[in-house]
Amino acid sequence: MPAMALYEQVKSFITRKIQDGSWVAGHRLPSESELVAQFGVARMTVNRALRELVEQGRIVRVAGVGSFVAEDKPQSTLLQIANIASEIRARGHDYRCEFLVAERIAASPDIAVWLDLRPGESVFHTVCLHMENDVPVQLEDRYVNPRVVPNFLEQDFSNVPPSEYLVRNVPFDQIEHVVDAVLPTAEQAERLDMPASDPCLLLTRRTWTRTVPVTMVRCLHPASRYRLGSRFRADGNPSIG
């Protein structure tokens, strides 16, 4: 086995400290000079290790101050329909939802295709902004098939968000998830309180009941505040718990 490169040794040391809990979020790392002396390597070697750890989201560097263990970004599962309110509260944080749009509109050609409707046919449309500790973490843009959920817009979504209402009341037997890296529009960036030049993760979800499409929703997350992932066993079944 080839010897580990010097910068990889520095990265491995720091990563182990973070993973085993020795260095928690906000912990200040040893200075570049201290790492140079500890590992007996050049400053440029330490600098490369720290730069790559920043790119991986493990640490943050503050000019003139030092390097710190990064806050762990919340992660939402891809193997099931996640309840973002429950996820946020489970972390001990405050959850709030701003309901921005609730309307019945004519389906555009692309939405009609997604929901197996005729172009121009009636469709329900909602837009919600999900907040964690008053910081926007998800912009939810949803379309719902009125053939399946005719009373959708009659619900009080101030207490139960649309996704939770659908999971509770409309049995689904298929889920499709697609994740893309995108840049937000100017309007989306304003709603998410982020620069329009920063990347987002876009999760597009569709659900079906007895082969009939129920909903299509696009969930936009600032990549700096959120991540998407899954854990599953080797047999392909999701890991629950």
Side-chain angles (χ1 to χ4, degrees):
M1 180 181 294
M4 183 182 292
L6 294 177
Y7 80 93
E8 288 285 1
Q9 294 178 27
V10 180
K11 279 182 63 180
S12 177
F13 167 76
I14 296 172
T15 299
R16 286 197 308 272
K17 289 288 189 180
I18 295 172
Q19 290 180 336
D20 68 16
S22 299
W23 293 353
V24 299
H27 177 87
R28 185 173 181 173
L29 274 63
S31 67
E32 283 193 17
S33 298
E34 289 170 329
L35 291 170
V36 165
Q38 178 176 344
F39 287 91
V41 296
R43 181 175 292 270
M44 63 183 298
T45 300
V46 169
N47 189 270
R48 177 177 178 180
L50 296 177
R51 186 174 68 248
E52 292 194 3
L53 287 167
V54 169
E55 292 171 353
Q56 293 169 4
R58 291 192 176 276
I59 68 170
V60 292
R61 304 185 75 182
V62 181
V65 179
S67 300
F68 302 85
V69 177
E71 292 284 345
D72 193 25
K73 290 187 288 185
Q75 176 169 306
S76 182
T77 181
L78 293 177
L79 293 176
Q80 59 188 3
I81 295 180
N83 183 328
I84 189 170
S86 297
E87 288 183 348
I88 289 172
R89 289 171 179 145
R91 291 191 285 271
H93 293 176
D94 292 330
Y95 168 77
R96 182 165 60 87
C97 178
E98 291 185 6
F99 213 74
L100 305 176
V101 175
E103 59 186 356
R104 187 167 190 151
I105 60 174
S108 62
D110 60 326
I111 297 301
V113 170
W114 281 99
L115 292 178
D116 196 20
L117 301 172
R118 296 184 303 274
E121 190 173 348
S122 181
V123 66
F124 298 137
H125 178 225
T126 60
V127 179
C128 303
L129 185 63
H130 300 278
M131 316 277 284
E132 181 167 0
N133 289 342
D134 286 326
V135 176
V137 292
Q138 184 190 94
L139 182 62
E140 174 192 309
D141 188 7
R142 180 182 300 275
Y143 296 86
V144 177
N145 188 344
R147 298 181 188 175
V148 182
V149 201
N151 300 322
F152 179 70
L153 287 187
E154 298 174 14
Q155 310 310 311
D156 179 7
F157 293 125
S158 60
N159 294 318
V160 180
S163 58
E164 187 174 343
Y165 169 79
L166 291 171
V167 168
R168 287 182 183 180
N169 294 277
V170 184
F172 59 90
D173 47 36
Q174 291 184 63
I175 310 172
E176 176 187 79
H177 282 153
V178 177
V179 179
D180 296 292
V182 301
L183 290 175
T185 65
E187 181 182 13
Q188 290 169 338
E190 182 177 0
R191 285 177 167 174
L192 288 166
D193 192 21
M194 62 179 290
S197 58
D198 284 2
C200 286
L201 295 174
L202 175 63
L203 169 63
T204 302
R205 174 191 298 132
R206 284 195 295 168
T207 61
W208 290 260
T209 180
R210 298 178 181 176
T211 73
V212 178
V214 177
T215 186
M216 190 279 284
V217 58
R218 298 186 181 104
C219 298
L220 193 67
H221 310 82
S224 63
R225 302 175 195 159
Y226 217 71
R227 63 183 178 183
L228 299 164
S230 298
R231 179 179 177 181
F232 54 90
R233 298 195 299 264
D235 60 9
N237 292 321
S239 178
I240 309 286

